[in-house]
Amino acid sequence: MTLSAVLLAGGESRRMGTDKATIVFIGKPLWQRQLQILRDLGPEKIFVSARKLPSWLPSDIELLLDEPPFRGPLSGLTRALASTQTSHLAVLAVDMPFMTSKQMQVLCRQAIRRCGVVPIIEGRFEPLAAIYPRESATHFSSALAGNDFSLQPLVRNLVQADKVRLVTVAQGERDFYRSVNEPGDFKEGRFPNRPPKSLGGL
């Protein structure tokens, strides 16, 4: 197994009112925190998927711009998989601040040859913190060319094609996969294994 990684940072952040990637969380902007999680996986290459050039993009990271028409995360994932030369691609959204390096490493260890891993919580897939095999690229391209741009049916198709397997997230680990869309999501959220006072910088 060889690994690439992509940070998805192409959201419009309308409800947040500011670019999510630049929000400071526990002393670091989210983009820096999330990229470190991906670096800790030891990938051969890291991409950032965005709609336009981010002001914070590190010099050693390759930018993948979404191509219009924009189809949400599906656009970025399709482009990233098409650019991947390794056997697998680790995916992480910039607005999942409760994720940890250890949890992403757990997902990586469960990926096997030509098959990735997608977490599932109460019947819903968590496709933005997952591992995809390069062979799933054709499925993403087909979905992008179709009329349904939701990732839920796409993941279901990948499961049926044996391109990914589902991993049920334990009750105590569900907070890792929480995304933030509004400022209050940070204050209401509970950072796993840390007391609430650790949510500094907000």
Side-chain angles (χ1 to χ4, degrees), residues 141-158:
S141 296
S142 296
L144 190 62
N147 298 316
D148 188 349
F149 309 117
S150 169
L151 294 177
Q152 296 295 311
L154 172 56
V155 172
R156 193 173 299 113
N157 290 337
L158 289 173

Side-chain angles (χ1 to χ4, degrees), residues 95-138:
D95 61 355
M96 282 188 169
F98 307 114
M99 182 53 68
T100 65
S101 297
K102 181 179 179 181
Q103 190 67 16
M104 285 296 296
Q105 290 164 5
V106 167
L107 292 180
C108 280
R109 287 196 294 268
Q110 296 181 76
I112 59 177
R113 186 170 182 260
R114 297 183 179 179
C115 185
V117 176
V118 174
I120 183 170
I121 299 175
E122 295 184 343
R124 280 193 65 82
F125 310 127
E126 297 294 334
L128 303 186
I131 314 297
Y132 296 99
R134 186 172 57 183
E135 290 82 0
S136 64
T138 54

Side-chain angles (χ1 to χ4, degrees), residues 33-95:
R33 174 180 173 77
Q34 303 301 79
L35 277 180
Q36 186 58 56
I37 290 175
L38 295 179
R39 291 184 194 276
D40 289 344
L41 299 178
E44 294 183 12
K45 194 165 197 175
I46 300 180
F47 305 104
V48 163
S49 171
R51 288 194 177 196
K52 59 183 180 180
L53 175 64
S55 60
W56 45 263
L57 185 72
S59 59
D60 64 330
I61 302 296
E62 181 174 336
L63 175 65
L64 298 177
L65 291 175
D66 289 355
E67 297 178 356
F70 301 115
R71 305 303 188 196
L74 179 60
S75 296
L77 286 170
T78 302
R79 179 82 189 276
L81 279 163
S83 303
T84 296
Q85 300 298 314
T86 54
S87 67
H88 290 73
L89 176 72
V91 174
L92 181 61
V94 76
D95 61 355

